[in-house]
């Protein structure tokens, strides 16, 4: 279980434990827009039945026709979330695993939304991430922007791809950089698979 504290959202809890937000909501009988309250106990046990059920539901449209949500999102444009030097790359597992990429620049450098979506978390409730923004792009993809000096958007805001959402900092870390992650159905993926090639 996770005991909800001030500033927690269902999305930030799912992010912390590497879970799919929709599956976590289903397991706890929480309906959209996924409102939770301080003191709530969130069950973190998600059975494979729930995950498989939600996966099959996501594949069926209103008229029981398959819906390709990956194709839908691939039409959206992805942008680099910051300018600077990539100092750490994505590493899936093992020693030194790293769930995203790190982009180093100066304090106050602009951080941009990598793709259009809705802000589902903006705060500092996950200490390892410092001041963090999480954006939901669709039912498949979430992106996160960590260690910011200043947050310029709040939970519930709709943002466009390329829109400035924060300023770079070093909250929760030791040097000025952006830690950027993309998660597909709760699983971290290499951001370079979606971002345009540099240079």
């Amino acid at each position: 279980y996770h005991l909800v504290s001030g500033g927690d959202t269902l999305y930030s809890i799912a992010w912390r434990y590497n879970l799919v937000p929709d599956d976590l909501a289903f397991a706890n009988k929480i309906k959209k827009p996924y409102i939770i309250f301080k003191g709530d106990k969130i069950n973190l046990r998600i059975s494979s039945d729930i995950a498989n059920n939600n996966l099959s539901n996501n594949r069926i449209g209103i008229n029981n026709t398959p819906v390709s949500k990956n194709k839908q999102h691939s039409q959206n444009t992805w942008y680099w979330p910051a300018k600077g030097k990539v100092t750490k790359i994505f590493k899936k597992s093992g020693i030194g695993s790293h769930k995203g990429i790190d982009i180093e620049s100066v304090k106050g450098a602009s951080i941009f939304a990598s793709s259009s979506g809705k802000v589902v978390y903006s705060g500092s409730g996950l200490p390892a991430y410092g001041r963090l923004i999480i954006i939901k792009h669709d039912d498949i993809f979430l992106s996160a922007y960590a260690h910011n000096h200043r947050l310029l958007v709040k939970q519930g805001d709709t943002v466009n791809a390329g829109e400035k959402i924060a300023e770079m900092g070093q909250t929760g870390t030791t040097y000025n950089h952006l830690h950027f992650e993309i998660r597909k159905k709760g699983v971290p993926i290499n951001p370079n698979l979606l971002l345009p090639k540099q240079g």
Side-chain angles (χ1 to χ4, degrees):
Y1 287 92
H2 174 90
L3 189 66
V4 176
S5 59
D8 278 348
T9 69
L10 187 94
Y11 287 92
S12 69
I13 295 167
W15 196 274
R16 182 189 298 241
Y17 297 105
N18 293 321
L19 299 171
V20 180
D22 290 339
D23 292 352
L24 188 61
F26 188 85
N28 288 275
K29 298 180 174 59
I30 300 170
K31 291 185 165 47
K32 288 186 176 180
Y34 299 159
I35 295 170
I36 57 175
F37 300 95
K38 187 175 180 179
D40 285 352
K41 279 176 76 174
I42 303 296
N43 179 8
L44 301 173
R45 287 187 178 172
I46 296 178
S47 71
S48 56
D49 291 345
I50 289 172
N52 290 336
N53 182 50
N54 278 355
L55 187 61
S56 63
N57 285 344
N58 283 337
R59 287 183 179 152
I60 304 297
I62 293 170
N63 300 318
N64 290 333
T65 53
V67 177
S68 173
K69 293 196 174 177
N70 277 341
K71 187 175 180 184
Q72 168 195 339
H73 193 82
S74 67
Q75 293 169 356
N76 291 1
T77 305
W78 289 85
Y79 291 93
W80 278 83
K83 292 178 181 176
K85 180 183 178 184
V86 175
T87 54
K88 203 165 185 183
I89 61 172
F90 176 85
K91 187 168 187 280
K92 189 170 184 177
S93 58
I95 296 170
S97 67
H98 193 243
K99 295 176 183 175
I101 58 173
D102 290 351
I103 302 170
E104 184 178 359
S105 188
V106 296
K107 181 178 178 180
S110 295
I111 307 294
F112 306 100
S114 188
S115 191
S116 300
K118 184 176 181 179
V119 178
V120 292
Y121 182 79
S122 179
S124 52
L126 283 74
Y129 286 88
R131 291 193 185 103
L132 171 70
I133 292 169
I134 300 174
I135 297 174
K136 179 181 180 180
H137 303 289
D138 55 23
D139 289 338
I140 304 286
F141 292 101
L142 295 169
S143 62
Y145 311 75
H147 308 310
N148 300 293
H149 167 64
R150 196 156 71 99
L151 305 178
L152 304 177
V153 293
K154 62 186 183 305
Q155 186 181 326
D157 287 352
T158 298
V159 294
N160 295 315
E163 182 178 333
K164 184 175 177 179
I165 57 171
E167 292 176 352
M168 192 175 291
Q170 60 178 42
T171 58
T173 186
T174 56
Y175 70 103
N176 290 305
H177 73 283
L178 168 70
H179 174 74
F180 175 68
E181 293 184 24
I182 295 176
R183 296 198 184 179
K184 181 179 180 180
K185 279 289 181 185
V187 178
I189 64 167
N190 187 345
N192 288 307
L193 297 174
L194 295 175
L195 296 175
K197 289 200 175 359
Q198 284 186 311

